Amino acid sequence: MGLRNLIAKRFGPDLPPEIQAGEDAAQMGPAHPFSPGEPVRPFDGYSRTPRAFDYQTSYNVATRPRTHERVSFDVLRGLIEAYDVAQVCIFHRIDSIRSLKWKLIAADNYNGDVTDAIPLGMAALRQPDRKHPFKSWLAQYLYDVLAYDAGALYRMRNRGGKCVGLLPFDGTSLAPLLDYWGNSPDPPAEAYVQYANGLPWGWLTRDDLIYEPFRPRTNSPYGHAPLESILLNANTDLRFQAYFLERFTKGNVPEAFASAPESWSPDQIEQFQSLWDSVMFGDQSQKHQIKWMPGGSSIAWSNEKDFTDAFSLFLMRKTAAAYHVVPADLGFTETVNRSSGESQADVQHRVGDLPLMEHVEGILDRFLFDDLQLPLRMEFDRGEEQDDMYNVAQSDDVYIKCGVVGPSEIREMRFGLTEPAGQQVPRFIYTRRADPPVVAAGCGGADGPGDRRADAGCAAAAQGIRAGRGCDAGPGPEGPGPGGTPVRAECGAGRTATRVGAARGGTSTRQQG
């Protein structure tokens, strides 16, 4: 039942001696002048295990999920299904994740061979619920996560009790239960109650399903849906759209007000209104013709405000921000240029897609490692490999020119390729100076004083790299190298100085280190 159940509480009116000694040392009692005073004695004994939050008594005695929450699942469902911007944002986030490629690799801290385990893991994830392909399965799960933060996966088991799949089901039908400390009860105690048609359908334990809110809170076992943060905004936007819908359908503000001649009686005005409606109503062609009016009549146009999209765009942007979606990705590109578009795309990746990818990876890693007993983990293609390769190539170029590593070492490290006939390309150091000639001695060796001086130059070069100055300008330590050869390690500012120095006749000689 857990370690907390083994912790004994101490009841009774007497204060435990160790606590009394601590209060005396802190001078909290009334025996000390102007003391802060002793706290009220705990009602349930002197326990060191705190409650997760101050839940309501009989919290588990509920008739539906989210009984003690501010917003029910029914309200959230009604808002989301009626609010078009929320629907667009949810499906945009789902499509951005389900479109990513993924692979299975060795689990963290596992150094064994996973060649035989990968096909088994791929077969299990091809149809995680044994019915739908992975992308459709993922879309079902992510919808409950993004709409209600109540994604639930039931562990499907065979007759032997082994988990063989994950079945997504409506997480809004679940009501999490609490133990004495306000946490989810450990098996075999029931941890969830599923409701159907307002009645308890069944009890489930933590071993039966995976229920992990994406946005957890300490004061509630439920997650926090994005729409809960913008309830007023969503309600305003819905009423704003309803206002314009009525404007074009059955608005109560007429287009104009016409004044009849003063001599007309109310019955005559009503008869003429009926005649006018019978001629004009429903016939668009009549609106573009000249109509004769009785003398003394006049028309006053209603003062209805013109439509502007500024306020509606403001409401849309707040909703998009709640779902971590960049408005430009939804097609609203009025205020986006190339520079701001790239920065916003980076923000959406960091605060939107990346946390959601890691959440899904964590769920499936538990399924592969704990349930299927496969030393694997799932990893999405984050689209960073191409940019990283360019940055790595730039770094490798700097390290090669500073003599830290040789081209052959980079060739084998990055691409797994060896030199023909095993002939290694030696390390070298580029310099802009022609006299004396520069020879790169073995960095990292300790065969002589020249080598040690060259090592100091290499250390200075590495420091220049970390400072972003490059390693191809400025004098470094000098000294006799092996065989009396002068050695100079160059390190300075300007990454392009190497090419400039070479164009001006700079000398670069090399010697195998």
Side-chain angles (χ1 to χ4, degrees):
M1 297 295 292
L3 179 61
R4 292 169 301 184
N5 294 343
L6 303 177
I7 300 176
K9 290 177 174 292
R10 300 186 62 174
F11 297 93
D14 297 332
L15 193 66
E18 61 274 13
I19 297 181
Q20 183 66 57
E23 288 184 358
D24 293 341
Q27 299 184 7
M28 300 169 60
H32 304 280
F34 306 108
S35 67
E38 297 177 355
V40 179
R41 295 293 183 258
F43 172 77
D44 194 23
Y46 300 92
S47 174
R48 290 293 185 263
T49 303
R51 282 193 172 185
F53 66 101
D54 187 16
Y55 58 82
Q56 184 175 343
T57 304
S58 300
Y59 183 92
N60 295 336
V61 183
T63 57
R64 59 181 176 83
R66 294 183 75 98
T67 300
H68 308 287
E69 300 296 317
R70 181 181 63 153
V71 183
S72 66
F73 281 131
D74 292 335
V75 173
L76 286 176
R77 181 178 288 106
L79 285 174
I80 290 173
E81 293 180 354
Y83 192 21
D84 53 353
V85 180
Q87 288 278 348
V88 170
C89 290
I90 289 173
F91 285 109
H92 176 79
R93 292 291 309 279
I94 292 175
D95 292 339
S96 66
I97 300 299
R98 68 185 296 189
S99 63
L100 297 174
K101 296 184 179 299
W102 55 274
K103 60 183 178 180
L104 297 180
I105 59 177
D108 294 336
N109 302 322
Y110 182 80
N111 299 323
D113 186 13
V114 295
T115 305
D116 297 333
I118 289 179
L120 298 176
M122 295 296 293
L125 295 182
R126 187 173 292 111
Q127 291 180 325
D129 59 354
R130 298 300 181 262
K131 290 184 179 180
H132 300 92
F134 178 79
K135 291 187 176 182
S136 299
W137 173 90
L138 182 61
Q140 294 180 15
Y141 174 70
L142 289 180
Y143 185 84
D144 280 357
V145 172
L146 295 172
Y148 316 110
D149 200 3
L153 298 171
Y154 176 73
R155 288 186 171 95
M156 305 169 60
R157 301 185 184 275
N158 57 17
R159 294 182 178 179
K162 183 179 179 181
C163 181
V164 295
L166 296 176
L167 175 66
F169 67 99
D170 186 8
T172 63
S173 64
L174 285 179
L177 304 178
L178 302 178
D179 61 10
Y180 183 81
W181 295 272
N183 299 305
S184 180
D186 296 326
E190 64 276 8
Y192 310 95
V193 176
Q194 186 181 29
Y195 288 87
N197 295 322
L199 298 175
W201 180 259
W203 291 354
L204 298 167
T205 68
R206 293 177 59 87
D207 289 340
D208 294 328
L209 57 87
I210 299 176
Y211 183 87
E212 294 293 340
F214 181 57
R215 296 177 177 87
R217 298 172 292 171
T218 58
N219 62 343
S220 173
Y222 295 94
H224 188 75
L227 199 65
E228 288 188 75
S229 303
I230 52 168
L231 287 175
L232 183 60
N233 182 86
N235 194 9
T236 303
D237 202 351
L238 286 173
R239 295 177 183 273
F240 189 77
Q241 296 183 45
Y243 164 76
F244 278 98
L245 178 63
E246 293 183 353
R247 177 180 181 179
F248 295 108
T249 54
K250 54 180 181 180
N252 60 357
V253 180
E255 186 74 16
F257 297 91
S259 299
E262 296 181 358
S263 60
W264 283 16
S265 64
D267 293 338
Q268 290 177 314
I269 295 176
E270 185 176 355
Q271 292 176 2
F272 185 79
Q273 179 70 49
S274 300
L275 176 63
W276 179 269
D277 292 342
S278 65
V279 175
M280 301 296 295
F281 188 77
D283 191 351
Q284 297 294 327
S285 62
Q286 296 290 334
K287 297 182 178 181
H288 302 283
Q289 299 178 5
I290 298 176
K291 297 295 180 182
W292 294 94
M293 301 289 294
S297 302
S298 61
I299 294 180
W301 300 99
S302 61
N303 189 23
E304 190 173 10
K305 295 181 174 58
D306 295 332
F307 171 76
T308 175
D309 61 355
F311 184 61
S312 61
L313 288 176
F314 166 73
L315 297 176
M316 181 274 300
R317 290 191 180 97
K318 286 187 65 176
T319 303
Y323 285 95
H324 297 162
V325 174
V326 176
D329 280 0
L330 303 179
F332 299 92
T333 59
E334 295 84 359
T335 59
V336 177
N337 52 38
R338 181 176 180 181
S339 176
S340 62
E342 292 177 354
S343 62
Q344 290 180 10
D346 180 66
V347 169
Q348 176 173 322
H349 175 73
R350 286 188 295 104
V351 303
D353 292 343
L354 188 58
L356 191 57
M357 282 189 287
E358 293 179 347
H359 176 75
V360 175
E361 289 173 351
I363 297 295
L364 294 179
D365 290 350
R366 290 173 54 184
F367 171 63
L368 292 170
F369 195 86
D370 297 335
D371 296 325
L372 300 184
Q373 302 297 316
L374 296 176
L376 301 173
R377 69 180 181 91
M378 185 251 201
E379 184 179 75
F380 282 105
D381 182 7
R382 288 162 169 75
E384 302 172 348
E385 183 177 356
Q386 186 173 1
D387 295 337
D388 288 345
M389 289 180 62
Y390 179 73
N391 295 330
V392 169
Q394 287 183 318
S395 301
D396 291 343
D397 179 65
V398 174
Y399 287 126
I400 290 175
K401 291 176 180 178
C402 291
V404 178
V405 294
S408 297
E409 297 175 83
I410 295 295
R411 175 183 170 91
E412 184 174 359
M413 183 188 308
R414 304 296 182 207
F415 307 101
L417 302 176
T418 58
E419 297 291 348
Q423 182 64 35
Q424 297 289 320
V425 178
R427 290 179 290 169
F428 52 84
I429 298 177
Y430 276 100
T431 179
R432 300 194 323 180
R433 301 181 182 275
D435 186 29
V438 177
V439 179
C443 295
D447 296 333
D451 284 343
R452 287 191 291 270
R453 291 176 177 272
D455 291 344
C458 291
Q463 185 177 2
I465 294 171
R466 290 191 293 268
R469 298 193 302 270
C471 59
D472 43 11
E478 296 186 21
T485 306
V487 175
R488 180 190 303 272
E490 301 288 342
C491 183
R495 184 170 294 174
T496 60
T498 299
R499 301 183 183 88
V500 175
R504 295 180 179 177
T507 301
S508 175
T509 60
R510 60 190 181 187
Q511 176 180 346
Q512 184 170 355

